[in-house]
Amino acid sequence: QVQLVESGGAVVQYGDSLRLSCAASGFTLASYTIGWFRQAPGKEREGVSSITRSGTDTYYADSVKGRFTISRDNAKNTVYLDMNDLKPEDTAVYYCAALTVFTGDYLNSGSYDFWGQGTQVTVSS
C-alpha cells in the first residue's frame, strides 16, 4: 500500500522550533518530489515547501521563507520540515504528499498525490 505518514506535530510556544517528518511506505520516496502543505481551520490548504528528488532544489511559501527548511534523506525514505521561530499563524494540520502531475507550480496541491493523514501543529502565543 502506497502511503505517506507525517509525524512530529506538537503544541509549542511562540518562537519555538519543531521538526516534522514524512515517511514513505510502499514506494521509494527518492523517486518523487515531495511537498509539505498545511491547512488551518476554515482555510484552504496551502503549499508550504517542496523538495525535488535529489534534494537539489527547494521551494518555499513567502510566509515561511527564512524560518522553515525542507530536507530529505532518501536512504531513510524520509523528508523533513524544520520549522523555526514558529508563530501562531503557523498553527495548522501539516501534510506531505508526492508530486505526480507537474503543473509548473511546486506548491500547487493539485500536482500532488499519496497524501498522508496529517500532523497537528499548534503554536500558542
Side-chain angles (χ1 to χ4, degrees), residues 20-86:
L20 303 183
S21 298
C22 170
S25 65
F27 71 103
T28 302
L29 199 73
S31 299
Y32 293 89
T33 288
I34 299 297
W36 280 100
F37 299 82
R38 66 186 181 186
Q39 187 165 20
K43 295 187 177 181
E44 292 187 356
R45 187 170 297 185
E46 64 169 338
V48 174
S49 182
S50 67
I51 186 168
T52 53
R53 289 177 292 179
S54 64
T56 302
D57 297 306
T58 57
Y59 305 88
Y60 297 94
D62 288 342
S63 59
V64 306
K65 204 169 292 183
R67 299 188 298 122
F68 290 12
T69 302
I70 192 170
S71 61
R72 66 191 304 158
D73 186 339
N74 287 337
K76 294 183 177 179
N77 228 23
T78 303
V79 170
Y80 304 99
L81 185 68
D82 288 299
M83 306 185 295
N84 297 313
D85 190 23
L86 283 162

Side-chain angles (χ1 to χ4, degrees), residues 80-96:
Y80 304 99
L81 185 68
D82 288 299
M83 306 185 295
N84 297 313
D85 190 23
L86 283 162
K87 305 175 181 181
E89 51 263 43
D90 295 317
T91 295
V93 178
Y94 283 71
Y95 301 89
C96 61

Side-chain angles (χ1 to χ4, degrees), residues 99-120:
L99 189 147
T100 54
V101 181
F102 186 55
T103 61
D105 179 0
Y106 281 100
L107 299 182
N108 178 4
S109 61
S111 299
Y112 289 79
D113 204 344
F114 308 149
W115 293 86
Q117 294 299 307
T119 186
Q120 176 72 48

